[in-house]
Amino acid sequence: MTISIQPFFDRATSTFTYVVDDGTGDCAIVDPVLGFEMATGRTDPAPADAIAAFVAARGLCVRRLLETHAHADHLSAGPYLRRRFGGRLAIGAGIADVQRVFGNIFHLEDVSRDGSEFDQLFANGDTFSIGRLRATAMAVPGHTPADMAYRIDDPDGGPPAVFVGDTLFMPDVGTARCDFPGGDPRLLYRSIRSLLDLPGDTMLYVCHDYPPNGREPACRASVAEQRSGNIHVRDGIEEGAFVAMRRARDKTLAIPALMLPSVQVNIRAGRLPPPDANGTAYLRIPLNRF
């Protein structure tokens, strides 16, 4: 198989980042993490530095930095890694909807509301290359309006790899929440079924894992494994039952610990807010809003 996929797991946020290379030195980085400590307001480059060390040690050329959506649980390290390696920073075109909603919630006058902070906006079905690898953007809204999965085809005929973002989790964990602004459990169900219509040997790479029963974090499951075993959307679970389950479950979930800093940074394409006149950058905390 030509595709080489190296996962990195950030335990602080339960997030997987992936380095995908084509076997000749060209690569993409999917969902890179920048550490952040809420108590002190300090960023931590350690998760991104681990990725950078891997890329540098193998002499890889970063062609693209791919965000599956504007994450609510970690800050993106896209700009941090782009400064070192180059590459185009991309996300789904639905990011404009997310910017409009959260740009207004946080009253961010420097956020465009049209996605222009990113180098490239993908529409459903757009194709692109990572060296020898052909990739396709697959719109999978539901968790947010901007969620995009990335299908990478193996030129040597192996099964595709799809980076599904916050749609599916591992089969024993289920599916993503839909209670953020713009979320929709019906859309999520239909997005997931579009993924599960892919060939059974297609490997689906998750963005997060929250391992139950003490198992180690895992990053992938096949379409066949998801269809037979996903606790929320295995074959036989209809849309109405999924929507009822998802709405009831979402009411029990707390807001992600890093949602307030993460969203206002990530709708800026991972850039920190511009500094004030005193040279210090500030994040905003909307009172009594969430």
Side-chain angles (χ1 to χ4, degrees), residues 117-260:
E117 290 83 356
F118 295 83
D119 299 318
Q120 187 170 11
L121 302 179
F122 289 121
N124 184 45
D126 282 351
T127 60
F128 59 98
S129 62
I130 305 164
R132 292 183 58 214
L133 305 178
R134 178 180 173 86
T136 304
M138 302 174 63
V140 285
H143 173 62
T144 79
D147 278 59
M148 190 68 72
Y150 299 105
R151 171 177 172 156
I152 313 294
D153 290 309
D154 185 351
D156 294 334
V162 184
F163 300 88
V164 300
D166 284 16
T167 53
L168 285 162
F169 297 143
M170 294 300 291
D172 58 354
V173 178
T175 59
R177 65 195 297 165
C178 300
D179 57 333
F180 297 147
D184 185 328
R186 292 191 183 279
L187 281 180
L188 180 63
Y189 181 87
R190 295 167 191 176
S191 294
I192 290 171
R193 294 312 306 183
S194 73
L195 293 170
L196 298 185
D197 284 340
L198 295 169
D201 62 351
T202 302
M203 297 306 301
L204 305 179
Y205 288 81
V206 302
C207 186
H208 300 287
D209 191 27
Y210 309 99
N213 304 318
R215 72 161 170 79
E216 286 299 304
C219 68
R220 70 177 193 171
S222 69
V223 164
E225 289 169 331
Q226 292 283 11
R227 291 186 64 163
S228 66
N230 188 287
I231 60 174
H232 294 165
V233 288
R234 64 185 177 273
D235 287 354
I237 295 178
E238 300 298 328
E239 181 177 303
F242 174 82
V243 169
M245 176 282 299
R246 193 68 266 170
R247 286 177 174 163
R249 180 172 173 79
D250 288 351
K251 290 178 181 179
T252 72
L253 300 178
I255 287 178
L258 295 182
M259 187 179 111
L260 296 183

